[in-house]
Amino acid sequence: MAADARDRVSGPMSAAPVPVPLADAAGARDTPRPLVAHGCWYPSVDPTGEWVAFVCDRTGVPQLWTGAVNGAEIHLLDADPDPVTEVAWSPDGRWIAYTVAPGGGEHTRVLCVRPDGTGRRIVAGADAGSSAYLGCWTRDGSAVAVTVAEPPPAGLALRRKPAVPDRGTAFADLPPGWAERDGPATLLGGAGHGEMGPGLGEDVLQDDGGSGPDGGAPDRLTAYLVDPDGLGSPVLVAAESGAATLRVCDVGEDGRFALVRRGPRGRREAVVVRTADLAARSVLRVGDGDPWIGRFSGDGRTLWLRSDHERQFAALLAASLDEDGGRVGLSVVAEREGSDLELLAFAEDGRTAALAWNVRGASELETLSLATAARPREVPLPHEVVTRIARAGPGGGMVLALSGSQRRPGVWWASPGALSARTSWSSRDEDAVPPGRPPVRPVPLRPVARDGLHLGGWYYRAPGRDAGRPAPCVIHLHGGPEEQERPVFDPLYHELLGRGLDVFAPDVRGSSGWGRSFVDADLGTGRFAALDDVADCAAHVVLDGLADPTRLAVMGRSYGGYLTMASLVWHPELFRTGVAVCGMSDLATFFAGTEPWIAESAAHKYGHPVRDRELLRALSPMSRVDELRVPLLAVHGEHDTNVPPGESEQMVRAARERGLPAEMLTLRDEGHEFRRADNRRLFRRTAADWMQRHLGR
């Protein structure tokens, strides 16, 4: 349906990004001596299909590389130590755009470099305190879309914009340290998507002297089309105050419309934006997961979209558009019962699509003609999971990023009608681990929660252990909460397995891959049931005879770190120890310290920091810390602004005050993700040492 007149993807204007030239990266652009077991991922192919740009950690840090698709030639394009996270080769072949994380932190910036390694420049995110990430290239390669996140100005106070002019405005009972602890206070619940400013009666951030001239919240996301050459002025595509996410996924052939993905987790939307006036012409719900959600047809009259609109599982939809971008029809092009369409990619002519389906955690890949009624063609996969698809040149081939339980992440070439072949510069499968201890292939489990909900997960059995003997077991909880446990090689799991510890990695409610109702089952007070899911998963592996009930531990990262701390205080007699990685210990202080756009998205999942204050307090591990009974190890990146390190520090401090063994490992030059090989190695060995000490073999 077309959005009404007030639904505009626009907001307060800000300074547009200006390309900043950099010196060419230091170091020879050739192949350094690689780590034996390295990973290659996030491929993007040049227009000829002969070269691919990708991220590789063969030097110990994820950096930007190019390599021949069918050869051994490989080049390091940027030798700086800042980790690279995303890559996109321009359609005209002149530029490679990529996102880097300075210092390993969360404030990223977008750079461009020429394929020969010259002309390196910052395209967006150069300003202090800002952050930027990649969108799409225009079809002719003349501009790249970037989204810039700007921090709220210093000196903000929490206020409520009153519904009636004479009502009180100040909150006097906010949690102690709300504005001072780890960063600027953030308060959610402002304008609806696309509105110019907050509505009456909404909670907003304001200056002590009132809001800005437009009455809007000062933190915002803005998306631009930027010419890397700096010859043309940046073009504003979208801007939102109090936004959670904003990414330009496609720009039509004639440039009249852009496809923008926006909204918080669990409420993502695809918006067709008329670029002339930034009006939202049609809005359709899309699922979480991969941000590259779709593409316009060549004539602009069809929008191909990966969407779970009015569905349990995402499918490929075709939205028919009128001349003004409004939606006049919607049909299902491809769907699978009980499986999400996870990845969607298109040939350059837009006539063929590649579809990766998530089938109970593993991937199934097929190609589909969008111009005919031909049946999809299955593409055999040598490993369990596809993480990215890049169409390669005019011949119809694909470059795939693959991962699996027996290999490190690598890049594979799939030509039409032929089996996929590993690129020569990706790690060999036999080099995934040192000789003599092969990777463990996990087995799927389906625990049942106490309320009857079926859960998922994968169980890893330590090598050499008698199948009939219960083992010490680590329950490992993924992040998100919308992530999903996948059967991929995890060096942390391998480290634990090598110490004689089994690993069970479950999908508790709130995880993706099992349908929209499962993802939403932990909202509000449903999170208490998610905490019970952890205990029910532990009971499942005990009752199945796999795990020793006297030697159980719990561990997780991000949301999984929160679940770890929460499980230790909600089920204090169940586990002998826990390792919490980058987890939230108090949801009030988390909202106070995190980035504004992260807080905006998190409020939908956990609760509003003011309106749902009592619920958040009840769900916070710090509120029940007196129930903690066992040793705790916390791990955090020093530059984490997603979940600030203070979340781990206060939990460790509270444990020590109660006489419990508690330690904290702070990883230097890391943010919310641990990207450097030396830090990842230190983390997993420290965690495995801790588990082995408290669980034994």
Side-chain angles (χ1 to χ4, degrees):
M1 65 180 174
D4 62 35
R6 68 185 179 87
D7 195 1
R8 306 164 67 85
V9 190
S10 61
M13 293 295 292
S14 59
V18 177
V20 178
L22 299 172
D24 290 345
R29 293 179 181 84
D30 55 10
T31 308
R33 181 182 180 131
L35 298 171
V36 173
H38 59 273
C40 300
W41 62 94
Y42 217 104
S44 182
V45 186
D46 82 332
T48 69
E50 298 175 359
W51 287 86
V52 57
F54 57 97
V55 181
C56 183
D57 64 355
R58 62 196 297 138
T59 64
V61 179
Q63 293 172 307
L64 177 65
W65 294 73
T66 58
V69 170
N70 286 312
E73 189 175 354
I74 185 173
H75 302 282
L76 174 63
L77 288 195
D78 191 335
D80 279 1
D82 292 335
V84 175
T85 61
E86 300 175 304
V87 180
W89 207 313
S90 66
D92 61 5
R94 296 189 309 117
W95 291 101
I96 300 171
Y98 55 111
T99 303
V100 302
E106 309 308 308
H107 284 213
T108 56
R109 58 178 50 160
V110 176
L111 277 68
C112 277
V113 68
R114 298 200 182 275
D116 64 358
T118 62
R120 194 171 62 111
R121 59 200 57 194
I122 301 173
V123 175
D127 295 335
S130 69
S131 186
Y133 54 89
L134 267 175
C136 66
W137 284 94
T138 56
R139 301 287 178 93
D140 62 1
S142 63
V144 62
V146 297
T147 297
V148 180
E150 302 176 46
L156 290 175
L158 290 164
R159 295 288 185 267
R160 184 173 183 82
K161 189 172 183 180
V164 181
D166 60 355
R167 297 184 62 177
T169 59
F171 285 106
D173 56 344
L174 291 171
W178 177 277
E180 294 82 19
R181 216 187 134 275
D182 279 312
T186 53
L187 192 59
L188 292 307
H193 293 312
E195 294 182 71
M196 292 295 291
L200 291 179
E202 298 289 357
D203 300 312
V204 299
L205 272 175
Q206 290 186 315
D207 236 27
D208 282 331
S211 61
D214 59 357
D219 56 293
R220 57 189 176 269
L221 299 180
T222 50
Y224 295 90
L225 298 177
V226 179
D227 174 11
D229 291 303
L231 301 178
S233 299
V235 176
L236 180 68
V237 178
E240 284 197 21
S241 294
T245 188
L246 197 68
R247 189 185 293 255
V248 182
C249 299
D250 191 29
V251 177
E253 197 83 42
D254 58 8
R256 291 195 306 127
F257 299 107
L259 173 62
V260 174
R261 177 180 178 263
R262 71 178 183 188
R265 288 148 42 183
R267 293 189 300 173
R268 308 289 192 200
E269 294 176 333
V271 186
V272 176
V273 178
R274 188 169 56 202
T275 56
D277 59 1
L278 307 189
R281 299 305 306 141
S282 58
V283 180
L284 199 68
R285 175 171 174 159
V286 294
D288 293 312
D290 188 73
W292 306 108
I293 55 174
R295 177 184 170 104
F296 293 107
S297 62
D299 61 6
R301 300 303 293 269
T302 302
L303 173 62
W304 309 102
L305 202 62
R306 180 184 66 81
S307 171
D308 63 356
H309 174 69
E310 298 182 347
R311 309 174 58 84
Q312 279 290 322
F313 293 89
L316 177 60
L317 306 184
S320 301
L321 306 177
D322 60 23
E323 283 289 344
D324 201 32
R327 178 160 58 90
V328 295
L330 187 67
S331 61
V332 178
V333 178
E335 63 182 334
R336 287 198 183 186
E337 184 177 356
S339 297
D340 270 316
L341 177 58
E342 187 171 39
L343 298 174
L344 176 63
F346 298 87
E348 284 307 311
D349 61 8
R351 294 177 174 270
T352 306
L355 315 176
W357 300 92
N358 181 336
V359 183
R360 296 177 296 279
S363 298
E364 293 184 7
L365 181 65
E366 61 188 19
T367 58
L368 175 69
S369 171
L370 300 175
T372 69
R375 292 176 60 85
R377 181 177 66 85
E378 183 180 350
V379 179
L381 295 173
H383 291 285
E384 291 99 321
V385 177
V386 181
T387 60
R388 188 159 174 82
I389 308 168
R391 303 297 301 201
M398 289 182 291
V399 169
L400 308 173
L402 297 180
S403 194
S405 59
Q406 309 297 296
R407 70 156 295 109
R408 301 270 178 163
V411 176
W412 293 63
W413 158 248
S415 57
L419 293 175
S420 302
R422 178 182 60 85
T423 54
S424 61
W425 29 265
S426 293
S427 279
R428 302 179 304 169
D429 293 353
E430 54 268 32
D431 292 330
V433 296
R437 200 171 68 194
V440 172
R441 189 180 295 276
V443 296
L445 297 182
R446 292 302 306 273
V448 179
R450 62 192 66 185
D451 61 0
L453 183 66
H454 286 263
L455 311 175
W458 299 85
Y459 196 90
Y460 297 75
R461 190 72 168 170
R465 183 172 295 281
D466 184 357
R469 195 173 107 208
C473 181
V474 177
I475 309 295
H476 189 277
L477 305 166
H478 64 67
E482 307 91 341
E483 293 178 15
Q484 182 187 15
E485 192 65 34
R486 313 297 294 271
V488 297
F489 178 78
D490 189 323
L492 170 64
Y493 294 179
H494 187 73
E495 186 78 36
L496 294 168
L497 294 165
R499 309 294 184 96
L501 309 175
D502 285 7
V503 176
F504 179 41
D507 289 325
V508 301
R509 70 191 68 204
S511 305
S512 62
W514 304 98
R516 169 53 58 188
S517 294
F518 194 89
V519 172
D520 290 343
D522 66 345
L523 297 181
T525 57
R527 198 156 314 282
F528 292 108
L531 296 176
D532 287 337
D533 288 348
V534 179
D536 294 342
C537 287
H540 180 86
V541 293
V542 168
L543 293 175
D544 269 9
L546 297 169
D548 182 345
T550 67
R551 292 191 291 173
L552 293 174
V554 63
M555 178 180 182
R557 194 193 71 80
S558 191
Y559 177 72
Y562 158 78
L563 276 185
T564 294
M565 290 185 278
S567 297
L568 292 177
V569 297
W570 257 268
H571 306 287
E573 308 301 331
L574 184 57
F575 300 106
R576 292 217 349 214
T577 189
V579 177
V581 185
C582 300
M584 304 94 73
S585 62
D586 186 314
L587 293 172
T589 55
F590 159 70
F591 274 110
T594 190
E595 303 285 359
W597 53 94
I598 294 173
E600 186 71 35
S601 192
H604 172 67
K605 294 301 296 184
Y606 306 132
H608 189 282
V610 173
R611 293 193 296 267
D612 300 315
R613 181 166 55 242
E614 292 306 316
L615 173 63
L616 296 184
R617 181 179 293 124
L619 286 167
S620 294
M622 283 295 293
S623 298
R624 295 174 57 97
V625 72
D626 286 339
E627 300 298 319
L628 187 64
R629 300 283 185 272
V630 297
L632 173 69
L633 171 66
V635 184
H636 229 106
E638 67 169 337
H639 300 313
D640 189 351
T641 57
N642 183 328
V643 178
E647 294 299 305
S648 288
E649 292 168 0
Q650 63 190 4
M651 193 70 178
V652 168
R653 183 168 56 250
R656 289 175 175 172
E657 289 171 352
R658 287 154 180 79
L660 296 169
E663 297 179 13
M664 181 167 173
L665 171 64
T666 301
L667 297 177
R668 305 302 176 191
D669 296 320
E670 298 287 7
H672 197 60
E673 304 284 345
F674 303 157
R675 296 187 172 101
R676 303 177 189 277
D678 54 347
N679 281 330
R680 295 198 306 270
R681 184 166 52 248
L682 173 61
F683 156 60
R684 63 177 180 263
R685 289 180 179 175
T686 301
D689 288 344
W690 182 271
M691 291 296 188
Q692 191 173 12
R693 183 189 321 157
H694 294 286
L695 292 184
R697 291 181 61 92

